[in-house]
Amino acid sequence: MADGGAASRGPPDGSPPAALLLLQQPLLHAYEARKDPAACGREAHGHGFGPDPDGAGAGGGASFVRTCFNGLNGLSGVGLLSIPYALSEGGWLSLALLLLVAAVCCYTGLLLQRCMDASPAVRGYPDIGALAFGRGGRLAASAFLYAELYLVAIGFLILEGDNLDKLFPGTSLSLGLRGAALVVSGKQLFVVLVALVILPTTWLRSLGVLAYVSASGVLASAVVVVCVLWTALADGVGFRARGRMLNVSGLPTALGLYTFCYCGHAIFPTLCISMKEKKRFSRVLVICFAACTLNYASMAILGYLMYGDDVKSQVTLNLPEGKVVSKLAIYTTLINPFSKYALMVTPLSTAVEEKLLAAGRGGKSSRSVSVLVRTLLVVTTVVVALAVPFFGHLMALVGSLLSVMASMLLPCIFYLKIFGAARCGRAEVALVATIIVLGSVVLATGTYASVKKIVQDY
């Protein structure tokens, strides 16, 4: 995304490049837009995406219920598995921080909505950055969002490797190389195998099927919580752990993981645009955050009561082996990474493809460039996943560094720049400034703690 590249420069009319439009596309509406070639052409030229804001499109905009579903799908993710570990790091009193983080992220989501109301040209998160700080603001917002997507994709591979190793312990593969045997086993083997299975899905240019499959994440999250509860009640695990009331040294890690659970701000502007009744989007945010917080808090309390300080970075790794419900929980957990990995890496690969095609390197066709770029991108995520196989620490790093920036700091900074302190009022300026200060502290301490733990475990 260097200066002068097609991915960062965008079309001549100043509209966002196609890679950013893809990043901004709501999952369920991506398929609908592709059913109308004319709509796709309008999107490519910067005239909007998804349903027509005025309701003139084929779909007429998303209903309130569907937008709630899209929002829940954006907020519900693999963070659910690490939330008991986050509670064990911070102690029981850190549950108050989970509620605080949820409230702050919901408020910053409302700030993004207000920023969108400031200009009809704003169609997504990067556009808000451009409205506030011009080209630099767009690139900054895009860089943080892309980096977050890349690291989350790596986290998916680590999660798959850990849970498959739990299901099939002791699995190994021996490869004969010139008389010497190379043995690959355990998590490393499953990470590579999963990557090979996922790779063809990244070659698909139409994400319609993947978008609908990924929507199952909302149901999958609820199923996992029910499975963990069943394990405690029916499989003899019980609620015997007491845990700690407060662990100050673990608060940075806990805060990073809590923030990671609410890193859906990248899709909020698009969800607002796609609604039939955009004025009700604030209600969508409140409902989505309330429902997800209830789900997260339930999983955190269940997991910590069951396993205490022995809970692992993914609570599914603590579940008793051989039990049907344990296997169901793990299999359900494995669905989201398989279906969402391609959705995570496609915006990144599209940006690189546009730059290479614009440069005209090698004279290759767009299809061959696409396959090559996406294959190399998968390979790099596999390498990092094998080198840093620490799911909890990696997600804490993503939450502390990237999610704090995208979900807390940037919305506040953009809001103050667009509206100015005089228009916001003293009370609101004080609140926004407090969020910026506290978010900066979380970013600094959480990033340091996460990197330190990764280095120590490595």
Side-chain angles (χ1 to χ4, degrees):
M1 298 181 66
D3 288 345
S8 58
R9 185 170 56 244
D13 62 359
S15 58
L20 292 183
L21 289 176
L22 181 58
L23 177 64
Q24 299 159 3
Q25 189 86 324
L27 297 183
L28 294 183
H29 290 298
Y31 178 68
E32 291 182 355
R34 283 166 173 75
K35 291 191 294 186
D36 182 2
C40 292
R42 290 193 299 271
E43 291 168 22
H45 289 84
H47 296 297
F49 51 87
D52 188 348
D54 298 324
S63 66
F64 178 84
V65 174
R66 187 168 185 177
T67 305
C68 287
F69 181 82
N70 279 344
L72 287 170
N73 189 44
L75 287 177
S76 301
V78 295
L80 183 70
L81 303 180
S82 61
I83 203 73
Y85 173 75
L87 184 56
S88 71
E89 285 289 303
W92 286 111
L93 292 180
S94 69
L95 272 177
L97 295 178
L98 174 66
L99 301 179
L100 177 62
V101 169
V104 169
C105 290
C106 184
Y107 175 71
T108 55
L110 295 174
L111 294 185
L112 290 179
Q113 181 188 10
R114 295 178 189 174
C115 290
M116 294 189 65
D117 294 338
S119 171
V122 175
R123 311 292 296 181
Y125 202 129
D127 293 330
I128 295 176
L131 181 64
F133 295 100
R135 179 186 178 87
R138 178 186 298 279
L139 291 178
S142 301
F144 281 108
L145 296 182
Y146 283 158
E148 185 176 42
L149 290 175
Y150 184 76
L151 290 179
V152 169
I154 294 171
F156 282 166
L157 293 179
I158 299 174
L159 181 148
E160 295 281 315
D162 288 343
N163 283 280
L164 285 173
D165 186 47
K166 169 83 172 179
L167 286 175
F168 308 104
T171 304
S172 63
L173 179 64
S174 179
L175 302 174
L177 299 174
R178 295 183 180 180
L182 174 63
V183 179
V184 184
S185 62
K187 301 176 185 179
Q188 292 76 17
L189 173 62
F190 286 117
V191 166
V192 175
L193 292 179
V194 166
L196 292 175
V197 175
I198 288 178
L199 179 59
T201 68
T202 66
W203 297 338
L204 299 175
R205 295 191 176 188
S206 174
L207 298 180
V209 176
L210 288 174
Y212 276 100
V213 173
S214 69
S216 62
V218 177
L219 177 61
S221 298
V223 170
V224 172
V225 174
V226 172
C227 288
V228 172
L229 177 60
W230 181 271
T231 300
L233 297 177
D235 289 341
V237 176
F239 302 107
R240 302 183 179 89
R242 294 184 178 180
R244 294 172 288 184
M245 290 302 296
L246 183 65
N247 179 29
V248 177
S249 62
L251 287 180
T253 300
L255 277 170
L257 289 170
Y258 290 157
T259 307
F260 174 75
C261 292
Y262 297 102
C263 59
H265 287 59
I267 68 170
F268 289 167
T270 308
L271 293 180
C272 181
I273 285 290
S274 70
M275 284 191 72
K276 290 180 182 178
E277 303 174 87
K278 299 174 183 58
K279 293 181 179 180
R280 302 180 67 187
F281 185 69
S282 59
R283 296 184 184 180
V284 171
L285 286 179
V286 172
I287 291 174
C288 290
F289 273 92
C292 286
T293 300
L294 178 61
N295 202 35
Y296 284 133
S298 299
M299 177 63 92
I301 294 172
L302 285 175
Y304 199 33
L305 282 175
M306 292 166 65
Y307 301 107
D309 294 329
D310 293 327
V311 67
K312 297 181 180 180
S313 60
Q314 301 167 55
V315 70
T316 49
L317 300 180
N318 287 100
L319 300 181
E321 298 180 5
K323 299 292 185 179
V324 175
V325 175
S326 299
K327 292 183 178 180
L328 176 61
I330 295 176
Y331 282 129
T332 305
T333 298
L334 296 177
I335 292 175
N336 279 343
F338 270 108
S339 61
K340 289 187 178 181
Y341 182 95
L343 294 173
M344 294 294 105
V345 301
T346 295
L348 299 135
S349 61
T350 302
V352 177
E353 290 161 23
E354 288 180 350
K355 188 174 180 64
L356 292 178
L357 291 173
R361 296 180 181 178
K364 296 182 178 179
S365 67
S366 61
R367 179 61 181 171
S368 60
V369 170
S370 176
V371 171
L372 177 61
V373 168
R374 295 172 190 225
T375 301
L376 292 177
L377 189 57
V378 172
V379 171
T380 62
T381 58
V382 170
V383 171
V384 178
L386 294 175
V388 190
F390 313 118
F391 179 81
H393 299 339
L394 180 63
M395 295 302 98
L397 176 61
V398 174
S400 300
L401 178 59
L402 302 175
S403 297
V404 167
M405 284 296 301
S407 302
M408 292 186 181
L409 298 184
L410 289 183
C412 291
I413 294 171
F414 291 162
Y415 180 72
L416 288 180
K417 181 63 171 63
I418 292 172
F419 289 95
R423 295 175 60 186
C424 295
R426 292 183 180 180
E428 190 169 37
V429 170
L431 176 59
V432 172
T434 301
I435 294 175
I436 292 176
V437 172
L438 293 179
S440 300
V441 172
V442 173
L443 185 148
T445 58
T447 301
Y448 173 77
S450 301
V451 172
K452 182 179 179 180
K453 288 190 174 183
I454 291 176
V455 173
Q456 288 176 344
D457 290 347
Y458 189 80

